Amino acid sequence: MEFIFIKTSYSTFSKLYIEEIKQSLQHEAVLAVESAKNHNLQEMHIPFNTISSRFTLIDANGVVIYDSDEHKQENSLDNHLSRNEIQQAIDEGAGFSIRKSGTQNVKKAYYAIPFTDNRNQKYFFRVSDNFDKIDIKLYKILF
């Protein structure tokens, strides 16, 4: 009986944590868009220096313009247009996914929203955070 309770509790807490991290990333993405409105493309990353989450600016073709964790290697990053959160953002206006990062090889939660700058150029702002730490928090709570 205890095992069933723990499994049910883990599932319930996991859903709550997923929703919490989604809302947190959504909040950061919306702030990013609002902040970026005051900057040109070369300066767009400046407002995100204070965000603790990973931030990625992606153009409409999926090319990474800026990545806060991989800023020295933007040109070497894969095209991001087919990423789940980007496709969902195209289809629904915002996208969320949890998956293994192709760049950092760790499980991450991603939130992406489209953005059009003052020159009518389309981009995606994507924020992400390590998801593994969520699993660790849940484990500590339940065990």
Side-chain angles (χ1 to χ4, degrees):
M1 188 64 121
E2 186 175 315
F3 176 74
I4 293 171
F5 172 75
I6 290 172
K7 186 174 180 178
T8 303
S9 296
Y10 182 84
S11 176
T12 302
F13 281 120
S14 180
K15 288 176 186 174
L16 291 171
Y17 270 115
I18 288 170
E19 189 57 36
E20 181 182 320
I21 199 165
K22 180 180 178 181
Q23 288 178 1
S24 175
L25 293 174
Q26 177 186 23
H27 179 73
E28 287 184 0
V30 169
L31 287 174
V33 167
E34 290 303 314
S35 297
K37 289 179 180 178
N38 300 319
H39 298 279
N40 62 36
L41 182 61
Q42 290 75 27
E43 299 173 336
M44 235 179 249
H45 70 279
I46 293 171
F48 313 108
N49 294 337
T50 59
I51 294 176
S52 63
S53 300
R54 179 180 175 194
F55 162 74
T56 312
L57 176 63
I58 303 161
D59 76 10
N61 296 314
V63 175
V64 175
I65 304 298
Y66 179 79
D67 186 302
S68 62
D69 285 359
E70 306 294 330
H71 58 275
K72 291 182 174 54
Q73 26 178 340
E74 284 95 0
N75 295 331
S76 66
L77 296 176
D78 292 339
N79 188 291
H80 283 38
L81 195 59
S82 64
R83 304 287 166 94
N84 294 338
E85 63 279 1
I86 300 298
Q87 285 299 306
Q88 192 178 9
I90 291 169
D91 295 340
E92 301 174 22
F96 178 75
S97 69
I98 298 170
R99 60 179 174 75
K100 193 171 194 176
S101 167
T103 306
Q104 298 183 332
N105 205 30
V106 294
K107 191 174 182 182
K108 287 188 163 277
Y110 295 90
Y111 192 90
I113 54 176
F115 168 69
T116 303
D117 71 7
N118 56 7
R119 297 174 299 130
N120 211 29
Q121 299 294 309
K122 297 183 187 295
Y123 301 95
F124 296 95
F125 282 111
R126 186 184 72 173
V127 291
S128 62
D129 203 356
N130 288 346
F131 191 74
D132 290 338
K133 69 183 180 185
I134 301 299
D135 287 338
I136 292 168
K137 283 181 185 178
L138 287 174
Y139 184 82
K140 286 180 180 179
I141 289 170
L142 295 174
F143 300 103

